[in-house]
Amino acid sequence: MEVIKLPKKFRVVCDEIRDGSYESLEKLESFSAFPHHVAAVKAAVAYFDKDYDTAVDLTCDIMPYWDEWHYSNVPDEFMAAMVFAAREHGKEEQARNALIEERDRAFTKDVEKYGEGKHPRYKYCNFMLNYLDTGIMPKDNELNYSVPANAKSVDAVIKDCNIKNGDKDRLYKMVCLYGYPEDAVKLYEEIKDSRLSEYDREDAIVRYLYLKEDEKALQAIERLASDRLWTVASPAQVRPMNFFTHPMMHKFLKDDECLERIRKASFMNTWE
Protein backbone atom coordinates (compact mmCIF):
# COMPACT_ATOMS: atom_id res chain seq x y z
CA MET A 1 0.00 0.00 0.00
CA GLU A 2 1.43 3.38 -1.02
CA VAL A 3 0.91 6.91 0.22
CA ILE A 4 -1.82 8.66 -1.75
CA LYS A 5 -1.13 12.07 -3.24
CA LEU A 6 -4.42 13.87 -3.57
CA PRO A 7 -5.18 16.08 -6.59
CA LYS A 8 -5.50 19.83 -6.23
CA LYS A 9 -9.26 19.70 -6.82
CA PHE A 10 -9.67 17.42 -3.81
CA ARG A 11 -7.59 19.78 -1.69
CA VAL A 12 -9.72 22.72 -2.79
CA VAL A 13 -12.88 20.95 -1.64
CA CYS A 14 -11.20 20.20 1.69
CA ASP A 15 -10.35 23.90 2.04
CA GLU A 16 -13.99 24.79 1.46
CA ILE A 17 -15.16 22.29 4.08
CA ARG A 18 -12.49 23.52 6.48
CA ASP A 19 -13.87 27.04 6.01
CA GLY A 20 -17.30 25.88 7.09
CA SER A 21 -19.01 24.89 3.84
CA TYR A 22 -21.17 21.86 4.59
CA GLU A 23 -22.50 22.08 1.03
CA SER A 24 -19.04 21.16 -0.26
CA LEU A 25 -19.31 17.73 1.36
CA GLU A 26 -21.43 16.69 -1.60
CA LYS A 27 -18.53 17.48 -3.94
CA LEU A 28 -16.56 14.64 -2.36
CA GLU A 29 -18.76 12.11 -4.13
CA SER A 30 -16.97 12.90 -7.41
CA PHE A 31 -13.67 11.59 -5.97
CA SER A 32 -14.49 7.90 -6.04
CA ALA A 33 -10.81 7.09 -6.70
CA PHE A 34 -9.98 8.17 -3.13
CA PRO A 35 -12.64 6.48 -0.98
CA HIS A 36 -10.62 6.35 2.23
CA HIS A 37 -9.67 10.03 2.17
CA VAL A 38 -13.27 10.94 1.40
CA ALA A 39 -14.35 8.85 4.38
CA ALA A 40 -11.76 10.56 6.60
CA VAL A 41 -13.10 13.99 5.69
CA LYS A 42 -16.66 12.91 6.41
CA ALA A 43 -15.59 11.34 9.69
CA ALA A 44 -13.78 14.49 10.81
CA VAL A 45 -16.90 16.57 10.20
CA ALA A 46 -19.08 13.98 11.95
CA TYR A 47 -16.89 13.98 15.09
CA PHE A 48 -17.31 17.73 15.51
CA ASP A 49 -21.04 17.48 14.81
CA LYS A 50 -21.31 14.78 17.52
CA ASP A 51 -22.63 12.36 14.91
CA TYR A 52 -20.70 9.61 16.64
CA ASP A 53 -22.41 6.68 14.91
CA THR A 54 -21.24 7.92 11.53
CA ALA A 55 -17.83 9.01 12.77
CA VAL A 56 -16.95 5.71 14.44
CA ASP A 57 -18.27 3.63 11.54
CA LEU A 58 -16.23 5.60 8.99
CA THR A 59 -13.07 5.46 11.11
CA CYS A 60 -13.38 1.69 11.49
CA ASP A 61 -13.77 1.42 7.72
CA ILE A 62 -10.57 3.34 6.95
CA MET A 63 -8.32 1.86 9.63
CA PRO A 64 -6.89 -0.89 7.37
CA TYR A 65 -5.69 1.84 4.98
CA TRP A 66 -3.67 4.14 7.26
CA ASP A 67 -0.61 3.64 5.05
CA GLU A 68 -2.26 5.87 2.45
CA TRP A 69 -1.35 8.80 4.74
CA HIS A 70 2.25 9.90 5.06
CA TYR A 71 2.10 11.33 8.58
CA SER A 72 1.54 9.07 11.59
CA ASN A 73 -0.43 11.72 13.47
CA VAL A 74 -3.43 11.14 11.17
CA PRO A 75 -4.20 7.56 12.32
CA ASP A 76 -3.30 8.44 15.91
CA GLU A 77 -5.70 11.38 16.02
CA PHE A 78 -8.55 9.55 14.32
CA MET A 79 -8.17 6.52 16.57
CA ALA A 80 -8.16 8.77 19.64
CA ALA A 81 -11.33 10.47 18.40
CA MET A 82 -12.89 7.08 17.70
CA VAL A 83 -12.30 5.85 21.23
CA PHE A 84 -13.48 9.14 22.72
CA ALA A 85 -16.70 8.90 20.70
CA ALA A 86 -17.11 5.19 21.44
CA ARG A 87 -16.98 5.82 25.18
CA GLU A 88 -19.49 8.64 24.80
CA HIS A 89 -21.91 6.73 22.62
CA GLY A 90 -21.81 3.11 23.74
CA LYS A 91 -19.74 1.82 20.82
CA GLU A 92 -16.90 0.43 22.88
CA GLU A 93 -17.11 -3.10 21.48
CA GLN A 94 -16.94 -1.87 17.89
CA ALA A 95 -13.95 0.35 18.66
CA ARG A 96 -12.20 -2.40 20.61
CA ASN A 97 -12.56 -4.91 17.78
CA ALA A 98 -11.24 -2.39 15.23
CA LEU A 99 -8.25 -1.53 17.42
CA ILE A 100 -7.38 -5.20 18.00
CA GLU A 101 -7.50 -5.84 14.27
CA GLU A 102 -5.29 -2.83 13.59
CA ARG A 103 -2.90 -3.87 16.34
CA ASP A 104 -2.63 -7.32 14.76
CA ARG A 105 -1.82 -5.75 11.39
CA ALA A 106 0.81 -3.52 12.97
CA PHE A 107 2.46 -6.35 14.93
CA THR A 108 4.48 -7.50 11.92
CA LYS A 109 4.59 -4.17 10.11
CA ASP A 110 8.06 -2.86 9.15
CA VAL A 111 9.72 -5.59 11.22
CA GLU A 112 13.09 -4.85 9.61
CA LYS A 113 12.96 -1.29 10.92
CA TYR A 114 11.21 -1.63 14.28
CA GLY A 115 11.20 -5.30 15.22
CA GLU A 116 8.16 -7.49 15.85
CA GLY A 117 5.50 -5.78 17.91
CA LYS A 118 7.49 -2.54 18.10
CA HIS A 119 5.83 -0.47 15.39
CA PRO A 120 4.56 2.88 16.76
CA ARG A 121 1.03 2.11 15.58
CA TYR A 122 1.05 -1.18 17.48
CA LYS A 123 1.96 0.72 20.63
CA TYR A 124 -0.64 3.40 20.00
CA CYS A 125 -3.38 0.81 19.55
CA ASN A 126 -2.46 -0.52 22.98
CA PHE A 127 -2.65 3.00 24.40
CA MET A 128 -6.12 3.43 22.91
CA LEU A 129 -7.30 0.05 24.16
CA ASN A 130 -6.17 1.07 27.62
CA TYR A 131 -7.99 4.39 27.26
CA LEU A 132 -11.11 2.54 26.18
CA ASP A 133 -11.03 0.53 29.40
CA THR A 134 -9.72 3.09 31.89
CA GLY A 135 -10.29 6.56 30.44
CA ILE A 136 -6.56 7.28 30.76
CA MET A 137 -4.80 8.69 27.70
CA PRO A 138 -1.06 9.13 26.99
CA LYS A 139 -1.31 12.90 27.64
CA ASP A 140 -3.28 12.50 30.84
CA ASN A 141 -0.57 14.39 32.74
CA GLU A 142 -2.12 17.58 31.32
CA LEU A 143 -4.78 17.17 33.98
CA ASN A 144 -2.22 16.89 36.77
CA TYR A 145 -0.25 20.12 36.40
CA SER A 146 1.45 21.35 39.56
CA VAL A 147 3.39 24.50 40.30
CA PRO A 148 7.14 23.91 39.83
CA ALA A 149 9.09 23.26 42.99
CA ASN A 150 10.91 26.43 43.99
CA ALA A 151 8.91 28.43 41.44
CA LYS A 152 10.50 31.73 40.51
CA SER A 153 9.09 35.21 40.19
CA VAL A 154 9.05 36.85 36.77
CA ASP A 155 11.99 39.05 37.76
CA ALA A 156 13.99 36.01 38.84
CA VAL A 157 13.21 34.24 35.54
CA ILE A 158 14.34 37.30 33.59
CA LYS A 159 17.61 37.39 35.51
CA ASP A 160 18.35 33.66 35.61
CA CYS A 161 17.40 33.00 31.97
CA ASN A 162 19.01 36.20 30.66
CA ILE A 163 15.82 37.38 28.97
CA LYS A 164 16.37 40.37 26.72
CA ASN A 165 14.18 43.43 27.12
CA GLY A 166 10.91 43.04 25.27
CA ASP A 167 11.33 39.34 24.45
CA LYS A 168 7.97 38.40 25.91
CA ASP A 169 7.63 35.23 23.82
CA ARG A 170 10.74 33.69 25.38
CA LEU A 171 9.86 35.07 28.79
CA TYR A 172 6.46 33.37 28.57
CA LYS A 173 8.11 30.03 27.70
CA MET A 174 10.55 30.29 30.60
CA VAL A 175 7.87 31.32 33.08
CA CYS A 176 5.84 28.28 32.01
CA LEU A 177 8.86 26.15 32.84
CA TYR A 178 10.08 27.81 36.01
CA GLY A 179 7.48 30.28 37.23
CA TYR A 180 3.99 30.55 38.62
CA PRO A 181 0.89 29.77 36.53
CA GLU A 182 -0.64 33.14 37.37
CA ASP A 183 2.36 34.90 35.86
CA ALA A 184 2.37 32.60 32.83
CA VAL A 185 -1.24 33.30 31.88
CA LYS A 186 -0.78 37.03 32.48
CA LEU A 187 2.07 36.99 29.96
CA TYR A 188 0.01 34.84 27.60
CA GLU A 189 -2.73 37.46 27.58
CA GLU A 190 -0.16 40.02 26.46
CA ILE A 191 1.12 37.93 23.54
CA LYS A 192 -1.92 35.80 22.61
CA ASP A 193 -2.48 37.71 19.35
CA SER A 194 1.02 36.91 18.07
CA ARG A 195 2.01 33.82 16.10
CA LEU A 196 2.45 31.39 18.96
CA SER A 197 3.24 27.71 18.61
CA GLU A 198 0.75 24.96 19.32
CA TYR A 199 2.68 24.07 22.47
CA ASP A 200 2.59 27.65 23.73
CA ARG A 201 -1.21 27.73 23.53
CA GLU A 202 -1.48 24.28 25.09
CA ASP A 203 0.67 25.48 28.00
CA ALA A 204 -1.77 28.33 28.55
CA ILE A 205 -4.76 25.96 28.50
CA VAL A 206 -3.15 23.71 31.11
CA ARG A 207 -2.52 26.64 33.43
CA TYR A 208 -5.94 28.21 33.00
CA LEU A 209 -7.52 24.88 33.92
CA TYR A 210 -5.27 24.60 36.97
CA LEU A 211 -6.42 28.08 38.00
CA LYS A 212 -10.05 27.01 37.38
CA GLU A 213 -10.52 29.63 34.67
CA ASP A 214 -12.46 27.48 32.22
CA GLU A 215 -13.68 30.37 30.07
CA LYS A 216 -10.12 31.57 29.53
CA ALA A 217 -9.06 28.00 28.75
CA LEU A 218 -11.84 27.72 26.17
CA GLN A 219 -10.80 31.03 24.61
CA ALA A 220 -7.25 29.68 24.27
CA ILE A 221 -8.66 26.52 22.64
CA GLU A 222 -10.63 28.69 20.22
CA ARG A 223 -7.46 30.56 19.29
CA LEU A 224 -5.66 27.29 18.75
CA ALA A 225 -8.49 26.14 16.49
CA SER A 226 -8.48 29.35 14.46
CA ASP A 227 -4.69 29.37 14.11
CA ARG A 228 -5.02 26.29 11.89
CA LEU A 229 -1.80 24.79 13.27
CA TRP A 230 -3.53 21.41 12.92
CA THR A 231 -3.82 21.54 9.11
CA VAL A 232 -0.21 20.91 8.16
CA ALA A 233 -0.11 17.12 7.98
CA SER A 234 -3.03 16.30 5.72
CA PRO A 235 -5.59 18.08 3.55
CA ALA A 236 -8.15 15.66 4.96
CA GLN A 237 -7.77 17.35 8.36
CA VAL A 238 -10.80 19.58 7.95
CA ARG A 239 -11.31 19.80 11.72
CA PRO A 240 -8.74 19.92 14.56
CA MET A 241 -8.67 16.17 15.14
CA ASN A 242 -5.63 16.48 17.41
CA PHE A 243 -7.91 18.04 20.04
CA PHE A 244 -9.19 14.54 20.85
CA THR A 245 -5.67 13.48 21.88
CA HIS A 246 -5.73 16.06 24.69
CA PRO A 247 -7.63 14.97 27.82
CA MET A 248 -7.68 18.59 29.00
CA MET A 249 -9.95 19.45 26.05
CA HIS A 250 -12.37 16.58 26.44
CA LYS A 251 -14.84 18.31 28.74
CA PHE A 252 -15.15 21.12 26.22
CA LEU A 253 -15.64 18.68 23.35
CA LYS A 254 -18.43 17.01 25.31
CA ASP A 255 -20.28 20.27 25.97
CA ASP A 256 -22.55 21.32 23.10
CA GLU A 257 -22.08 25.07 23.50
CA CYS A 258 -18.30 24.79 23.88
CA LEU A 259 -18.06 22.43 20.93
CA GLU A 260 -20.04 24.88 18.78
CA ARG A 261 -17.57 27.64 19.66
CA ILE A 262 -14.61 25.40 18.84
CA ARG A 263 -16.17 24.34 15.55
CA LYS A 264 -16.85 27.93 14.50
CA ALA A 265 -13.32 28.95 15.49
CA SER A 266 -11.89 26.20 13.31
CA PHE A 267 -13.65 27.79 10.30
CA MET A 268 -11.53 30.92 10.77
CA ASN A 269 -7.95 31.13 9.54
CA THR A 270 -6.21 33.71 11.70
CA TRP A 271 -3.06 33.76 9.61
CA GLU A 272 -4.47 34.13 6.11
Side-chain angles (χ1 to χ4, degrees):
M1 191 182 305
E2 296 182 353
V3 172
I4 298 294
K5 184 175 182 180
L6 296 168
K8 183 178 180 180
K9 288 183 179 180
F10 189 100
R11 293 168 177 266
V12 169
V13 174
C14 287
D15 285 339
E16 293 172 358
I17 295 169
R18 192 176 294 115
D19 291 338
S21 173
Y22 279 80
E23 294 79 7
S24 294
L25 282 167
E26 296 182 3
K27 297 180 182 179
L28 293 173
E29 303 308 323
S30 64
F31 296 99
S32 57
F34 310 100
H36 310 128
H37 285 74
V38 169
V41 174
K42 291 180 177 179
V45 172
Y47 280 116
F48 279 85
D49 286 349
K50 294 184 80 170
D51 181 5
Y52 291 150
D53 274 330
T54 298
V56 173
D57 288 348
L58 288 171
T59 303
C60 289
D61 288 344
I62 62 178
M63 281 177 65
Y65 306 99
W66 288 137
D67 287 343
E68 292 184 2
W69 280 265
H70 176 68
Y71 294 100
S72 63
N73 69 294
V74 175
D76 288 356
E77 291 166 12
F78 272 85
M79 287 191 288
M82 178 186 70
V83 180
F84 170 91
R87 286 172 56 86
E88 286 294 294
H89 203 58
K91 296 174 76 72
E92 292 93 341
E93 183 177 0
Q94 181 182 359
R96 181 177 289 105
N97 290 339
L99 285 167
I100 291 172
E101 289 178 7
E102 178 60 22
R103 184 181 63 178
D104 290 345
R105 284 190 292 269
F107 186 78
T108 56
K109 181 174 176 56
D110 295 337
V111 174
E112 300 81 3
K113 181 178 181 180
Y114 296 103
E116 197 171 69
K118 300 293 181 63
H119 192 278
R121 200 178 303 156
Y122 177 86
K123 295 179 181 179
Y124 201 78
C125 286
N126 279 328
F127 287 143
M128 291 300 98
L129 285 165
N130 180 65
Y131 169 47
L132 192 62
D133 293 332
T134 68
I136 299 174
M137 290 196 79
K139 296 180 181 179
D140 208 63
N141 61 317
E142 296 172 334
L143 301 172
N144 301 307
Y145 168 83
S146 60
V147 180
N150 303 314
K152 301 178 181 180
S153 67
V154 173
D155 288 341
V157 171
I158 291 173
K159 179 180 178 181
D160 294 347
C161 298
N162 192 27
I163 306 294
K164 304 297 183 183
N165 289 337
D167 191 353
K168 289 188 177 180
D169 285 7
R170 183 164 181 265
L171 177 58
Y172 167 69
K173 290 179 173 64
M174 294 301 102
V175 170
C176 283
L177 285 173
Y178 306 115
Y180 293 94
E182 296 87 350
D183 292 332
V185 296
K186 183 178 179 180
L187 284 165
Y188 170 78
E189 288 295 326
E190 295 178 16
I191 62 174
K192 64 184 180 183
D193 292 327
S194 59
R195 192 185 290 267
L196 296 178
S197 73
E198 190 170 0
Y199 302 112
D200 289 336
R201 298 208 186 277
E202 289 168 4
D203 281 342
I205 296 165
V206 167
R207 284 153 184 79
Y208 278 131
L209 290 175
Y210 173 82
L211 296 169
K212 302 188 184 306
E213 295 189 43
D214 283 8
E215 174 58 29
K216 288 289 188 180
L218 178 56
Q219 290 175 13
I221 293 171
E222 288 178 283
R223 286 184 175 275
L224 183 53
S226 65
D227 279 357
R228 295 280 182 89
L229 297 170
W230 42 273
T231 65
V232 177
S234 169
Q237 301 284 69
V238 297
R239 298 290 186 271
M241 297 300 296
N242 62 328
F243 283 14
F244 290 99
T245 68
H246 290 284
M248 65 181 175
M249 297 190 191
H250 284 184
K251 69 176 181 179
F252 299 106
L253 295 170
K254 293 177 183 180
D255 182 275
D256 289 345
E257 291 185 8
C258 294
L259 180 59
E260 176 66 14
R261 286 173 59 176
I262 294 169
R263 180 171 54 234
K264 286 183 176 179
S266 74
F267 298 161
M268 301 161 53
N269 189 349
T270 303
W271 303 115
E272 283 185 321

